[in-house]
């Protein structure tokens, strides 16, 4: 019960976003080396990088409510512009899934302390 009462830590959220962006770039490079069979993995990593980069811009991470509003705004977008992905629909679906996952973390104010490269 005490976890629900912990204050919003903007620096922890920014660190988490930076680490996830770096991990997503590494995942894209690994998928690119594996070739055709890893196109799904590439698009998923590219979507995670896009979502984290979009959330890093501005000062939205300073406040939990502003951060949640930014996520909601991004979720309502019709399309997500990027280049280099293999399947645009799969990329957009993965961006939305990543944003929904981060929205759950934001609402619970939990999970941003997990800065390991591989996450479930």
């Amino acid at each position: 019960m005490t976890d629900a009462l912990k204050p919003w830590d903007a620096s922890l959220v920014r660190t988490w976003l930076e680490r996830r962006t770096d991990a997503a770039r590494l995942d894209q490079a690994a998928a690119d080396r594996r070739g055709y069979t890893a196109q799904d993995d590439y698009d998923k990593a590219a979507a995670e990088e896009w979502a984290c980069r979009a959330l890093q811009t501005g000062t939205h991470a300073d406040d939990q409510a502003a951060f949640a509003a930014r996520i909601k705004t991004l979720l309502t977008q019709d399309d997500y512009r990027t280049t280099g992905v293999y399947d645009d629909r799969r990329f957009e679906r993965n961006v939305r899934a990543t944003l929904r996952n981060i929205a759950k973390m934001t609402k619970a104010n939990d999970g941003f302390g997990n800065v390991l490269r591989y996450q479930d």
Side-chain angles (χ1 to χ4, degrees):
M1 293 300 278
T2 59
D3 287 341
L5 300 176
K6 67 182 177 182
W8 180 256
D9 188 353
S11 64
L12 182 65
V13 173
R14 281 191 210 93
T15 300
W16 185 87
L17 288 169
E18 289 170 9
R19 299 256 176 102
R20 292 309 309 154
T21 301
D22 293 343
R25 271 193 241 122
L26 291 173
D27 290 345
Q28 286 176 66
D32 201 28
R33 285 191 300 273
R34 289 193 319 262
Y36 179 78
T37 59
Q39 288 180 352
D40 291 343
D41 295 337
Y42 183 91
D43 288 348
K44 184 176 181 180
E48 183 176 12
E49 181 185 5
W50 189 96
C52 290
R53 282 194 179 282
L55 292 171
Q56 283 176 322
T57 61
T59 60
H60 307 288
D62 292 342
D63 179 49
Q64 187 175 7
F67 194 67
R70 175 69 176 148
I71 293 170
K72 188 174 182 178
T73 301
L74 290 172
L75 278 169
T76 59
Q77 278 186 244
D78 289 333
D79 62 341
Y80 305 98
R81 299 282 183 196
T82 193
T83 59
V85 294
Y86 293 99
D87 185 345
D88 290 336
R89 287 184 306 176
R90 180 175 50 219
F91 171 77
E92 289 180 7
R93 185 175 60 243
N94 286 325
V95 168
R96 285 189 177 91
T98 300
L99 288 171
R100 284 191 300 270
N101 184 32
I102 297 171
K104 287 178 189 175
M105 291 170 55
T106 302
K107 184 176 181 181
N109 192 14
D110 187 38
F112 293 109
N114 184 7
V115 291
L116 299 175
R117 178 165 177 216
Y118 298 106
Q119 297 186 358
D120 294 328

mmCIF file with all atom_site columns, all heavy atoms in Angstrom, residues 55-71:
data_model
loop_
_atom_site.group_PDB
_atom_site.id
_atom_site.type_symbol
_atom_site.label_atom_id
_atom_site.label_alt_id
_atom_site.label_comp_id
_atom_site.label_asym_id
_atom_site.label_entity_id
_atom_site.label_seq_id
_atom_site.pdbx_PDB_ins_code
_atom_site.Cartn_x
_atom_site.Cartn_y
_atom_site.Cartn_z
_atom_site.occupancy
_atom_site.B_iso_or_equiv
_atom_site.pdbx_formal_charge
_atom_site.auth_seq_id
_atom_site.auth_comp_id
_atom_site.auth_asym_id
_atom_site.auth_atom_id
_atom_site.pdbx_PDB_model_num
ATOM 1   N N   . LEU A 1 55 ? 7.873  10.893 -25.777 1.00 0.00 ? 55 LEU A N   1
ATOM 2   C CA  . LEU A 1 55 ? 7.605  11.241 -24.385 1.00 0.00 ? 55 LEU A CA  1
ATOM 3   C C   . LEU A 1 55 ? 8.762  12.006 -23.739 1.00 0.00 ? 55 LEU A C   1
ATOM 4   O O   . LEU A 1 55 ? 8.575  12.663 -22.718 1.00 0.00 ? 55 LEU A O   1
ATOM 5   C CB  . LEU A 1 55 ? 7.294  9.984  -23.578 1.00 0.00 ? 55 LEU A CB  1
ATOM 6   C CG  . LEU A 1 55 ? 5.972  9.314  -23.941 1.00 0.00 ? 55 LEU A CG  1
ATOM 7   C CD1 . LEU A 1 55 ? 5.860  7.963  -23.250 1.00 0.00 ? 55 LEU A CD1 1
ATOM 8   C CD2 . LEU A 1 55 ? 4.805  10.208 -23.580 1.00 0.00 ? 55 LEU A CD2 1
ATOM 9   N N   . GLN A 1 56 ? 9.945  11.919 -24.327 1.00 0.00 ? 56 GLN A N   1
ATOM 10  C CA  . GLN A 1 56 ? 11.099 12.640 -23.783 1.00 0.00 ? 56 GLN A CA  1
ATOM 11  C C   . GLN A 1 56 ? 11.058 14.117 -24.118 1.00 0.00 ? 56 GLN A C   1
ATOM 12  O O   . GLN A 1 56 ? 11.650 14.921 -23.409 1.00 0.00 ? 56 GLN A O   1
ATOM 13  C CB  . GLN A 1 56 ? 12.409 12.054 -24.329 1.00 0.00 ? 56 GLN A CB  1
ATOM 14  C CG  . GLN A 1 56 ? 12.806 10.765 -23.689 1.00 0.00 ? 56 GLN A CG  1
ATOM 15  C CD  . GLN A 1 56 ? 14.050 10.181 -24.327 1.00 0.00 ? 56 GLN A CD  1
ATOM 16  O OE1 . GLN A 1 56 ? 14.233 10.254 -25.536 1.00 0.00 ? 56 GLN A OE1 1
ATOM 17  N NE2 . GLN A 1 56 ? 14.904 9.599  -23.510 1.00 0.00 ? 56 GLN A NE2 1
ATOM 18  N N   . THR A 1 57 ? 10.385 14.487 -25.180 1.00 0.00 ? 57 THR A N   1
ATOM 19  C CA  . THR A 1 57 ? 10.361 15.888 -25.585 1.00 0.00 ? 57 THR A CA  1
ATOM 20  C C   . THR A 1 57 ? 9.523  16.705 -24.613 1.00 0.00 ? 57 THR A C   1
ATOM 21  O O   . THR A 1 57 ? 8.511  16.247 -24.109 1.00 0.00 ? 57 THR A O   1
ATOM 22  C CB  . THR A 1 57 ? 9.795  16.049 -27.010 1.00 0.00 ? 57 THR A CB  1
ATOM 23  O OG1 . THR A 1 57 ? 8.462  15.554 -27.036 1.00 0.00 ? 57 THR A OG1 1
ATOM 24  C CG2 . THR A 1 57 ? 10.645 15.313 -28.022 1.00 0.00 ? 57 THR A CG2 1
ATOM 25  N N   . GLY A 1 58 ? 9.955  17.897 -24.363 1.00 0.00 ? 58 GLY A N   1
ATOM 26  C CA  . GLY A 1 58 ? 9.219  18.788 -23.474 1.00 0.00 ? 58 GLY A CA  1
ATOM 27  C C   . GLY A 1 58 ? 9.439  18.477 -22.007 1.00 0.00 ? 58 GLY A C   1
ATOM 28  O O   . GLY A 1 58 ? 10.314 17.706 -21.627 1.00 0.00 ? 58 GLY A O   1
ATOM 29  N N   . THR A 1 59 ? 8.618  19.090 -21.191 1.00 0.00 ? 59 THR A N   1
ATOM 30  C CA  . THR A 1 59 ? 8.735  18.930 -19.741 1.00 0.00 ? 59 THR A CA  1
ATOM 31  C C   . THR A 1 59 ? 7.568  18.139 -19.166 1.00 0.00 ? 59 THR A C   1
ATOM 32  O O   . THR A 1 59 ? 7.211  18.306 -18.003 1.00 0.00 ? 59 THR A O   1
ATOM 33  C CB  . THR A 1 59 ? 8.787  20.318 -19.067 1.00 0.00 ? 59 THR A CB  1
ATOM 34  O OG1 . THR A 1 59 ? 7.587  21.025 -19.388 1.00 0.00 ? 59 THR A OG1 1
ATOM 35  C CG2 . THR A 1 59 ? 10.009 21.099 -19.497 1.00 0.00 ? 59 THR A CG2 1
ATOM 36  N N   . HIS A 1 60 ? 6.976  17.277 -19.977 1.00 0.00 ? 60 HIS A N   1
ATOM 37  C CA  . HIS A 1 60 ? 5.805  16.518 -19.546 1.00 0.00 ? 60 HIS A CA  1
ATOM 38  C C   . HIS A 1 60 ? 6.121  15.577 -18.391 1.00 0.00 ? 60 HIS A C   1
ATOM 39  O O   . HIS A 1 60 ? 5.256  15.293 -17.564 1.00 0.00 ? 60 HIS A O   1
ATOM 40  C CB  . HIS A 1 60 ? 5.221  15.715 -20.706 1.00 0.00 ? 60 HIS A CB  1
ATOM 41  C CG  . HIS A 1 60 ? 4.934  16.547 -21.906 1.00 0.00 ? 60 HIS A CG  1
ATOM 42  N ND1 . HIS A 1 60 ? 3.894  17.446 -21.950 1.00 0.00 ? 60 HIS A ND1 1
ATOM 43  C CD2 . HIS A 1 60 ? 5.558  16.641 -23.100 1.00 0.00 ? 60 HIS A CD2 1
ATOM 44  C CE1 . HIS A 1 60 ? 3.885  18.047 -23.118 1.00 0.00 ? 60 HIS A CE1 1
ATOM 45  N NE2 . HIS A 1 60 ? 4.881  17.577 -23.835 1.00 0.00 ? 60 HIS A NE2 1
ATOM 46  N N   . ALA A 1 61 ? 7.349  15.083 -18.336 1.00 0.00 ? 61 ALA A N   1
ATOM 47  C CA  . ALA A 1 61 ? 7.716  14.102 -17.301 1.00 0.00 ? 61 ALA A CA  1
ATOM 48  C C   . ALA A 1 61 ? 7.811  14.732 -15.919 1.00 0.00 ? 61 ALA A C   1
ATOM 49  O O   . ALA A 1 61 ? 7.904  14.016 -14.926 1.00 0.00 ? 61 ALA A O   1
ATOM 50  C CB  . ALA A 1 61 ? 9.036  13.425 -17.668 1.00 0.00 ? 61 ALA A CB  1
ATOM 51  N N   . ASP A 1 62 ? 7.786  16.054 -15.837 1.00 0.00 ? 62 ASP A N   1
ATOM 52  C CA  . ASP A 1 62 ? 7.900  16.719 -14.537 1.00 0.00 ? 62 ASP A CA  1
ATOM 53  C C   . ASP A 1 62 ? 6.687  16.479 -13.640 1.00 0.00 ? 62 ASP A C   1
ATOM 54  O O   . ASP A 1 62 ? 6.805  16.521 -12.421 1.00 0.00 ? 62 ASP A O   1
ATOM 55  C CB  . ASP A 1 62 ? 8.089  18.227 -14.722 1.00 0.00 ? 62 ASP A CB  1
ATOM 56  C CG  . ASP A 1 62 ? 9.441  18.553 -15.333 1.00 0.00 ? 62 ASP A CG  1
ATOM 57  O OD1 . ASP A 1 62 ? 10.341 17.691 -15.289 1.00 0.00 ? 62 ASP A OD1 1
ATOM 58  O OD2 . ASP A 1 62 ? 9.589  19.676 -15.847 1.00 0.00 ? 62 ASP A OD2 1
ATOM 59  N N   . ASP A 1 63 ? 5.541  16.232 -14.247 1.00 0.00 ? 63 ASP A N   1
ATOM 60  C CA  . ASP A 1 63 ? 4.307  16.064 -13.483 1.00 0.00 ? 63 ASP A CA  1
ATOM 61  C C   . ASP A 1 63 ? 3.572  14.822 -13.976 1.00 0.00 ? 63 ASP A C   1
ATOM 62  O O   . ASP A 1 63 ? 3.462  14.599 -15.185 1.00 0.00 ? 63 ASP A O   1
ATOM 63  C CB  . ASP A 1 63 ? 3.424  17.303 -13.665 1.00 0.00 ? 63 ASP A CB  1
ATOM 64  C CG  . ASP A 1 63 ? 2.121  17.202 -12.924 1.00 0.00 ? 63 ASP A CG  1
ATOM 65  O OD1 . ASP A 1 63 ? 2.131  16.870 -11.728 1.00 0.00 ? 63 ASP A OD1 1
ATOM 66  O OD2 . ASP A 1 63 ? 1.084  17.458 -13.563 1.00 0.00 ? 63 ASP A OD2 1
ATOM 67  N N   . GLN A 1 64 ? 3.076  14.019 -13.064 1.00 0.00 ? 64 GLN A N   1
ATOM 68  C CA  . GLN A 1 64 ? 2.405  12.773 -13.416 1.00 0.00 ? 64 GLN A CA  1
ATOM 69  C C   . GLN A 1 64 ? 1.168  13.027 -14.277 1.00 0.00 ? 64 GLN A C   1
ATOM 70  O O   . GLN A 1 64 ? 0.944  12.342 -15.277 1.00 0.00 ? 64 GLN A O   1
ATOM 71  C CB  . GLN A 1 64 ? 2.030  12.004 -12.153 1.00 0.00 ? 64 GLN A CB  1
ATOM 72  C CG  . GLN A 1 64 ? 1.487  10.623 -12.409 1.00 0.00 ? 64 GLN A CG  1
ATOM 73  C CD  . GLN A 1 64 ? 1.247  9.857  -11.124 1.00 0.00 ? 64 GLN A CD  1
ATOM 74  O OE1 . GLN A 1 64 ? 1.364  10.397 -10.032 1.00 0.00 ? 64 GLN A OE1 1
ATOM 75  N NE2 . GLN A 1 64 ? 0.915  8.588  -11.243 1.00 0.00 ? 64 GLN A NE2 1
ATOM 76  N N   . ALA A 1 65 ? 0.389  14.019 -13.940 1.00 0.00 ? 65 ALA A N   1
ATOM 77  C CA  . ALA A 1 65 ? -0.825 14.320 -14.705 1.00 0.00 ? 65 ALA A CA  1
ATOM 78  C C   . ALA A 1 65 ? -0.486 14.817 -16.113 1.00 0.00 ? 65 ALA A C   1
ATOM 79  O O   . ALA A 1 65 ? -1.137 14.432 -17.095 1.00 0.00 ? 65 ALA A O   1
ATOM 80  C CB  . ALA A 1 65 ? -1.669 15.350 -13.970 1.00 0.00 ? 65 ALA A CB  1
ATOM 81  N N   . ALA A 1 66 ? 0.528  15.647 -16.228 1.00 0.00 ? 66 ALA A N   1
ATOM 82  C CA  . ALA A 1 66 ? 0.943  16.148 -17.543 1.00 0.00 ? 66 ALA A CA  1
ATOM 83  C C   . ALA A 1 66 ? 1.503  15.016 -18.401 1.00 0.00 ? 66 ALA A C   1
ATOM 84  O O   . ALA A 1 66 ? 1.260  14.964 -19.611 1.00 0.00 ? 66 ALA A O   1
ATOM 85  C CB  . ALA A 1 66 ? 1.981  17.246 -17.385 1.00 0.00 ? 66 ALA A CB  1
ATOM 86  N N   . PHE A 1 67 ? 2.237  14.117 -17.777 1.00 0.00 ? 67 PHE A N   1
ATOM 87  C CA  . PHE A 1 67 ? 2.794  12.974 -18.487 1.00 0.00 ? 67 PHE A CA  1
ATOM 88  C C   . PHE A 1 67 ? 1.664  12.067 -18.994 1.00 0.00 ? 67 PHE A C   1
ATOM 89  O O   . PHE A 1 67 ? 1.679  11.625 -20.148 1.00 0.00 ? 67 PHE A O   1
ATOM 90  C CB  . PHE A 1 67 ? 3.749  12.204 -17.565 1.00 0.00 ? 67 PHE A CB  1
ATOM 91  C CG  . PHE A 1 67 ? 4.628  11.220 -18.263 1.00 0.00 ? 67 PHE A CG  1
ATOM 92  C CD1 . PHE A 1 67 ? 5.619  11.630 -19.135 1.00 0.00 ? 67 PHE A CD1 1
ATOM 93  C CD2 . PHE A 1 67 ? 4.479  9.858  -18.022 1.00 0.00 ? 67 PHE A CD2 1
ATOM 94  C CE1 . PHE A 1 67 ? 6.437  10.721 -19.768 1.00 0.00 ? 67 PHE A CE1 1
ATOM 95  C CE2 . PHE A 1 67 ? 5.296  8.935  -18.642 1.00 0.00 ? 67 PHE A CE2 1
ATOM 96  C CZ  . PHE A 1 67 ? 6.282  9.366  -19.519 1.00 0.00 ? 67 PHE A CZ  1
ATOM 97  N N   . ALA A 1 68 ? 0.675  11.815 -18.151 1.00 0.00 ? 68 ALA A N   1
ATOM 98  C CA  . ALA A 1 68 ? -0.471 11.002 -18.552 1.00 0.00 ? 68 ALA A CA  1
ATOM 99  C C   . ALA A 1 68 ? -1.249 11.679 -19.677 1.00 0.00 ? 68 ALA A C   1
ATOM 100 O O   . ALA A 1 68 ? -1.714 11.013 -20.617 1.00 0.00 ? 68 ALA A O   1
ATOM 101 C CB  . ALA A 1 68 ? -1.373 10.740 -17.354 1.00 0.00 ? 68 ALA A CB  1
ATOM 102 N N   . ALA A 1 69 ? -1.383 12.993 -19.625 1.00 0.00 ? 69 ALA A N   1
ATOM 103 C CA  . ALA A 1 69 ? -2.080 13.728 -20.676 1.00 0.00 ? 69 ALA A CA  1
ATOM 104 C C   . ALA A 1 69 ? -1.320 13.645 -21.997 1.00 0.00 ? 69 ALA A C   1
ATOM 105 O O   . ALA A 1 69 ? -1.927 13.513 -23.067 1.00 0.00 ? 69 ALA A O   1
ATOM 106 C CB  . ALA A 1 69 ? -2.268 15.180 -20.264 1.00 0.00 ? 69 ALA A CB  1
ATOM 107 N N   . ARG A 1 70 ? 0.010  13.710 -21.926 1.00 0.00 ? 70 ARG A N   1
ATOM 108 C CA  . ARG A 1 70 ? 0.834  13.593 -23.139 1.00 0.00 ? 70 ARG A CA  1
ATOM 109 C C   . ARG A 1 70 ? 0.661  12.214 -23.768 1.00 0.00 ? 70 ARG A C   1
ATOM 110 O O   . ARG A 1 70 ? 0.546  12.089 -24.988 1.00 0.00 ? 70 ARG A O   1
ATOM 111 C CB  . ARG A 1 70 ? 2.303  13.856 -22.797 1.00 0.00 ? 70 ARG A CB  1
ATOM 112 C CG  . ARG A 1 70 ? 3.254  13.654 -23.931 1.00 0.00 ? 70 ARG A CG  1
ATOM 113 C CD  . ARG A 1 70 ? 3.092  14.700 -25.008 1.00 0.00 ? 70 ARG A CD  1
ATOM 114 N NE  . ARG A 1 70 ? 4.095  14.490 -26.022 1.00 0.00 ? 70 ARG A NE  1
ATOM 115 C CZ  . ARG A 1 70 ? 3.927  14.757 -27.295 1.00 0.00 ? 70 ARG A CZ  1
ATOM 116 N NH1 . ARG A 1 70 ? 2.810  15.297 -27.709 1.00 0.00 ? 70 ARG A NH1 1
ATOM 117 N NH2 . ARG A 1 70 ? 4.869  14.519 -28.175 1.00 0.00 ? 70 ARG A NH2 1
ATOM 118 N N   . ILE A 1 71 ? 0.624  11.178 -22.940 1.00 0.00 ? 71 ILE A N   1
ATOM 119 C CA  . ILE A 1 71 ? 0.418  9.824  -23.452 1.00 0.00 ? 71 ILE A CA  1
ATOM 120 C C   . ILE A 1 71 ? -0.946 9.723  -24.123 1.00 0.00 ? 71 ILE A C   1
ATOM 121 O O   . ILE A 1 71 ? -1.082 9.172  -25.214 1.00 0.00 ? 71 ILE A O   1
ATOM 122 C CB  . ILE A 1 71 ? 0.550  8.787  -22.317 1.00 0.00 ? 71 ILE A CB  1
ATOM 123 C CG1 . ILE A 1 71 ? 1.986  8.744  -21.797 1.00 0.00 ? 71 ILE A CG1 1
ATOM 124 C CG2 . ILE A 1 71 ? 0.119  7.408  -22.795 1.00 0.00 ? 71 ILE A CG2 1
ATOM 125 C CD1 . ILE A 1 71 ? 2.167  7.938  -20.531 1.00 0.00 ? 71 ILE A CD1 1
#
